[in-house]
Amino acid sequence: MPAWSSSWQLPDQIADVLPSEARHIEELRRLFLDTACSYGYELVMPPLLEHLESLLTGTGEALDIQTFKLVDQLSGRTLGLRADTTPQVARIDAHLLNRQGVARLCYCGPVLHTRAELPHATREPLQFGAEIYGHAGIEADLEAQALALAGLQAAGVTGLLIDMADVRIVSGILAGTSVPAKNLSAIHAALAAKDAVELAMLTAELPLATRTGLQALLRLYGDESVLDQAVVALKDFPAVQAALENLRQLASHIRHSNPGVEVRFDLADLRGYAYYSGTRFAIYGLGAELVRGGRYDEVGAVFGRNRPAVGFSLDLKELVRVLPARSLRAAVRAPWGQDAALNAAITALRQQGEIVACVLPGHEHEVNEFNCDRELLLVGGQWQLVPLSKSGA
């Protein structure tokens, strides 16, 4: 087989982004960044690669597996290509900004995964995220959720559903028991899979109240009535009651501020349990999970600043995949030439925000990314805009 026949092929689940989709992604990037800015968030740009020990500090095994690794030809040290930007932003907050009060930071850039999270997903997501540091109160959780919903709504996503849980519910049920790390991971997996038989086997040696509480979680999913059921079913665990009240307050706020958003709960959902320290949420729309977020107060501890933190992230490529394709943008078609009056007219239109595509000689009938609905023509000695349908072109 000739070398050129496969030299252009890309790795699995890595793809070029072509004009229409690229334009859509870029419009969404600007929209989300502008929305975050309107909430008072400041843009940061962490590097794509770092020394591996810095990049993975405190992130756990899951992120290590997802991280591409390479050797720095200058230092000989191992580098990593980031698989998630959140730890980098925590490092920036802890070491570079070192502010005493609240810090609101946002970012948007590519991350790389050794394995795609879903069969159809890319291994090169374009991750947008927003983090708020320095406030332990529920107000920060509310703001993160409000910003995520505002961005999706501005992007045209309707029928939104936010699903919430709290990792403190399971930790509260298990408080005072001794569970080996390996068994704890298996218990979390059984809860996530709603596997009552496996859960019973894994917890057979635990106290009866603990076993009963964990089994109850398997049934506690649905609308806000789930919280009322949980208050009764988990009454023996005071720490859990505080987490349930926190979820109730979040749901109440969303119900009043975003009445069109459906709120649901799954108290056995422990995705990211090793990462989150409190409430976690996911936002669904257009048949897909679009946003993940929550509170992760421990994220800065490994960088020497264990302060409150809450935020969210999403993949703009995934969002574009589920959104309807954008129509072509309106544009002006103009002849190519060196006439001073023509070039002055083109410059004036571009300064007004118009897209002006100059037609190169011999390419008058080519179709491109723009919908040229008007044409710049010489009429009565002056260059004027004429609807393309009336120009005879």
Side-chain angles (χ1 to χ4, degrees):
M1 178 183 296
W4 56 263
S5 65
S6 59
S7 61
W8 54 269
Q9 293 182 354
L10 295 173
D12 290 343
Q13 293 178 286
I14 298 289
D16 295 305
V17 181
L18 300 182
S20 291
E21 186 178 3
R23 174 170 61 86
H24 199 172
I25 290 172
E26 175 60 14
E27 289 173 354
L28 288 176
R29 185 189 70 85
R30 295 179 186 182
L31 182 150
F32 274 90
L33 287 175
D34 288 345
T35 303
C37 181
S38 74
Y39 276 66
Y41 286 72
E42 300 171 278
L43 178 64
V44 293
M45 296 181 178
L48 184 59
L49 75 167
E50 291 191 37
H51 292 128
L52 188 64
E53 60 270 25
S54 172
L55 194 65
L56 297 182
T57 296
T59 60
E61 181 182 1
L63 200 59
D64 185 13
I65 293 171
Q66 281 285 58
T67 300
F68 281 99
K69 303 170 181 70
L70 64 155
V71 175
D72 186 355
Q73 298 300 309
L74 295 180
S75 66
R77 297 175 63 180
T78 302
L79 305 178
L81 294 170
R82 67 176 179 224
D84 182 16
T85 312
T86 297
Q88 295 182 296
V89 179
R91 174 180 55 76
I92 289 173
D93 173 70
H95 281 301
L96 300 181
L97 295 179
N98 199 28
R99 295 173 180 169
Q100 296 307 307
V102 169
R104 293 179 172 92
L105 304 176
C106 64
Y107 59 86
C108 189
V111 296
L112 290 167
H113 294 164
T114 56
R115 301 176 184 178
E117 294 188 350
L118 297 170
H120 64 264
T122 177
R123 291 196 291 163
E124 188 189 13
L126 183 62
Q127 187 182 52
F128 169 84
E131 326 282 342
I132 180 169
Y133 297 90
H135 186 72
I138 195 173
E139 295 85 1
D141 300 77
L142 292 171
E143 180 173 293
Q145 293 181 359
L147 176 56
L149 289 169
L152 291 174
Q153 289 165 342
V157 184
T158 57
L160 291 170
L161 179 152
I162 183 167
D163 177 84
M164 289 191 284
D166 195 311
V167 299
R168 293 172 296 185
I169 292 174
V170 174
S171 62
I173 295 173
L174 290 171
T177 64
S178 179
V179 182
K182 183 178 180 181
N183 286 12
L184 184 61
S185 178
I187 289 171
H188 289 151
L191 285 167
K194 304 275 191 296
D195 190 335
V197 175
E198 179 70 9
L199 184 62
M201 292 174 57
L202 292 168
T203 60
E205 303 300 321
L206 297 180
L208 176 61
T210 301
R211 299 199 310 269
T212 303
L214 292 174
Q215 287 289 339
L217 291 182
L218 302 181
R219 305 183 299 274
L220 293 173
Y221 60 92
D223 60 23
E224 203 167 344
S225 64
V226 163
L227 301 181
D228 297 325
Q229 299 170 34
V231 167
V232 176
L234 305 175
K235 63 181 183 301
D236 296 329
F237 305 97
V240 172
Q241 299 299 314
L244 292 172
E245 178 57 28
N246 193 70
L247 289 173
R248 193 184 301 278
Q249 291 181 43
L250 290 169
S252 175
H253 180 84
I254 293 172
R255 188 170 60 251
H256 289 95
S257 62
N258 285 277
V261 175
E262 183 180 357
V263 182
R264 297 185 70 81
F265 304 88
D266 185 349
L267 303 190
D269 187 350
L270 287 168
R271 286 175 297 171
Y273 70 88
Y275 188 65
Y276 294 112
S277 62
T279 303
R280 55 141 298 275
F281 65 90
I283 302 177
Y284 296 82
L286 303 174
E289 182 185 86
L290 302 177
V291 171
R292 291 182 188 176
R295 179 168 284 280
Y296 27 81
D297 289 343
E298 306 298 321
V299 70
V302 294
F303 301 113
R305 292 196 77 198
N306 188 11
R307 73 193 201 121
V310 60
F312 67 90
S313 65
L314 68 148
D315 176 13
L316 293 182
K317 289 183 178 179
E318 173 63 14
L319 180 55
V320 164
R321 188 188 69 81
V322 298
L323 281 170
R326 294 284 177 91
S327 58
L328 296 179
R329 290 187 62 181
V332 174
R333 191 171 79 175
W336 185 91
Q338 296 182 345
D339 178 75
L342 169 62
N343 290 329
I346 291 172
T347 298
L349 287 169
R350 287 172 175 163
Q351 289 175 344
Q352 295 167 20
E354 294 280 5
I355 297 169
V356 182
C358 291
V359 178
L360 299 178
H363 297 272
E364 289 78 9
H365 300 291
E366 290 183 2
V367 176
N368 57 28
E369 172 64 14
F370 302 102
N371 174 28
C372 292
D373 58 353
R374 290 153 295 159
E375 186 171 20
L376 196 58
L377 290 179
L378 190 61
V379 180
Q382 293 188 345
W383 291 99
Q384 297 184 9
L385 278 182
V386 178
L388 199 56
S389 59
K390 298 179 183 179
S391 68

